[in-house]
Amino acid sequence: MIRLDLEVDPLLLEMAWKLAREAIEELKGQPDQRFIPADEDDPDLTEAWLDSLRDELGRDFECLSDLFTTSRFGEEPVEISAESAEGILRASSAVRLWVRNHRLEGVLDEDLETGGVDLDELEPDVRLAYFTYGLLAYLQESLIGLLDGS
């Protein structure tokens, strides 16, 4: 078990989770086409591969959902298993990519990664997407550090 201790404003956490849920709903059951084998001669293999990807993605999303909904994440330390942490990492990556592609199209990659965004210039919905993207990055960075130290 690892102990995750991040302080986050509950209102901002709730708003970020709302956007993350939107991403999850769109991503559920829809693995990225780049990860699907291109063997047209074996449709059974393709379907089995897709089913496996959907199952794994679903478990990862459950880990992220549990963190946001069944614990006091952001308010007090949370104990999670290494396996759950890895699922949270993968789900956070999927959600961050979705947010990047659907809500932060007008923000340069360099600005996203360096924090070079002027929040006052962003529309409120883009500001929320930026916060959600950053929160999930912070969560991932923290989990990676904890997993490396365990």
Side-chain angles (χ1 to χ4, degrees):
M1 297 293 271
I2 60 174
R3 181 181 167 110
L4 180 63
D5 189 7
L6 303 178
E7 289 186 32
V8 183
D9 179 279
L11 180 59
L12 292 176
L13 195 64
E14 180 181 331
M15 293 170 60
W17 177 235
K18 182 178 179 183
L19 181 56
R21 278 194 327 260
E22 181 183 339
I24 289 170
E25 285 306 311
E26 189 168 312
L27 291 167
K28 269 186 180 173
Q30 301 301 321
D32 190 311
Q33 294 296 316
R34 293 173 295 176
F35 301 117
I36 299 171
D39 187 354
E40 295 175 9
D41 295 332
D42 195 348
D44 292 335
L45 171 65
T46 300
E47 189 58 36
W49 187 274
L50 280 171
D51 288 343
S52 175
L53 285 176
R54 285 185 196 107
D55 289 346
E56 289 177 27
L57 190 59
R59 284 192 296 274
D60 293 343
F61 287 147
E62 285 176 21
C63 291
L64 185 62
S65 178
D66 286 348
L67 177 66
F68 275 84
T69 62
T70 64
S71 70
R72 295 188 44 88
F73 170 60
E75 297 176 43
E76 62 185 37
V78 177
E79 298 278 332
I80 56 177
S81 70
E83 183 179 332
S84 290
E86 290 172 1
I88 292 166
L89 286 170
R90 289 186 297 269
S92 293
S93 291
V95 171
R96 285 180 72 212
L97 285 171
W98 184 91
V99 169
R100 173 70 183 111
N101 292 328
H102 292 86
R103 298 292 188 272
L104 295 171
E105 305 94 339
V107 180
L108 297 174
D109 286 335
E110 180 181 335
D111 290 338
L112 273 177
E113 297 307 320
T114 62
V117 174
D118 183 356
L119 294 177
D120 293 332
E121 292 183 11
L122 298 178
E123 294 294 321
D125 58 329
V126 177
R127 201 174 305 144
L128 172 61
Y130 180 73
F131 171 76
T132 302
Y133 184 90
L135 171 66
L136 292 173
Y138 179 51
L139 172 61
Q140 287 178 301
E141 187 176 301
S142 299
L143 287 174
I144 289 168
L146 290 167
L147 288 168
D148 282 348
S150 60

